Amino acid sequence: MSLMRQLLSVLLIGLLMFGFWRSFFFGLKHYQLNKSAYKKRKAEETILDWFLYRKYRKEFPKGLLICYFVFLGLHPVIMLVCLLLWLLKVPESIGGTVAKVTVIFGWTWILIFGLLFWTRGPDLDYGRWIKKRRGQTKR
């Protein structure tokens, strides 16, 4: 697999994973918060808050947020590894294997999450695995 194909495949699966996580968390925000609380938080949200989910840290499970940040950082690192392997004149098959494993892992992750939260309706069943907090603080 050529360097361009390696970088393109890792970039595309990275963008797909970013879109997957964003859509998953979008539904989770609406699951956890009522309309009024969501609108209040959305009105105060900056781009950095949108990207890092700073306003929703109490409502989201910490494990999911960690996975989101790992996937955000992992794909650029893998692209750099593929580029570094190419610069060091390592056989292209090794870089191709790294890219293929990344793509397979990304699709597997999407499939597993899809099965864990799947329901017959258009929305995911967040209540199956995630406790509803509704944006209220404990007294």
Side-chain angles (χ1 to χ4, degrees):
M1 182 183 285
S2 70
L3 176 66
M4 282 308 283
R5 290 186 67 190
Q6 293 172 23
L7 295 177
L8 188 62
S9 63
V10 174
L11 177 67
L12 289 177
I13 195 67
L15 291 174
L16 181 69
M17 290 297 293
F18 181 73
F20 165 76
W21 279 109
R22 295 299 306 180
S23 66
F24 182 81
F25 283 144
F26 179 78
L28 187 56
K29 283 190 283 190
H30 288 282
Y31 169 73
Q32 292 285 26
L33 302 172
N34 58 33
K35 286 182 183 182
S36 175
Y38 176 74
K39 285 181 183 181
K40 285 177 187 175
R41 289 188 193 187
K42 187 71 176 164
E44 301 169 353
E45 196 172 54
T46 65
I47 292 175
L48 197 57
D49 292 336
W50 174 84
F51 190 70
L52 299 177
Y53 290 107
R54 284 196 242 174
K55 304 238 182 234
Y56 305 99
R57 297 271 169 99
K58 291 181 182 175
E59 288 76 32
F60 290 178
K62 294 205 185 317
L64 291 178
L65 280 172
I66 291 170
C67 288
Y68 170 70
F69 293 128
V70 166
F71 278 112
L72 276 182
L74 192 63
H75 289 89
V77 169
I78 292 173
M79 290 175 72
L80 287 175
V81 166
C82 288
L83 184 63
L84 185 64
L85 290 173
W86 180 78
L87 289 173
L88 294 174
K89 305 290 188 207
V90 176
E92 286 185 354
S93 62
I94 295 175
T97 303
V98 170
K100 288 176 187 175
V101 167
T102 305
V103 170
I104 291 170
F105 184 74
W107 279 110
T108 304
W109 188 264
I110 290 171
L111 179 66
I112 288 171
F113 256 68
L115 291 175
L116 285 175
F117 292 95
W118 180 79
T119 184
R120 287 185 184 229
D123 298 329
L124 297 176
D125 187 11
Y126 294 102
R128 186 179 298 160
W129 302 103
I130 300 171
K131 182 181 175 186
K132 188 178 264 194
R133 295 205 37 183
R134 285 302 210 191
Q136 300 172 354
T137 58
K138 293 183 180 180
R139 296 180 190 200

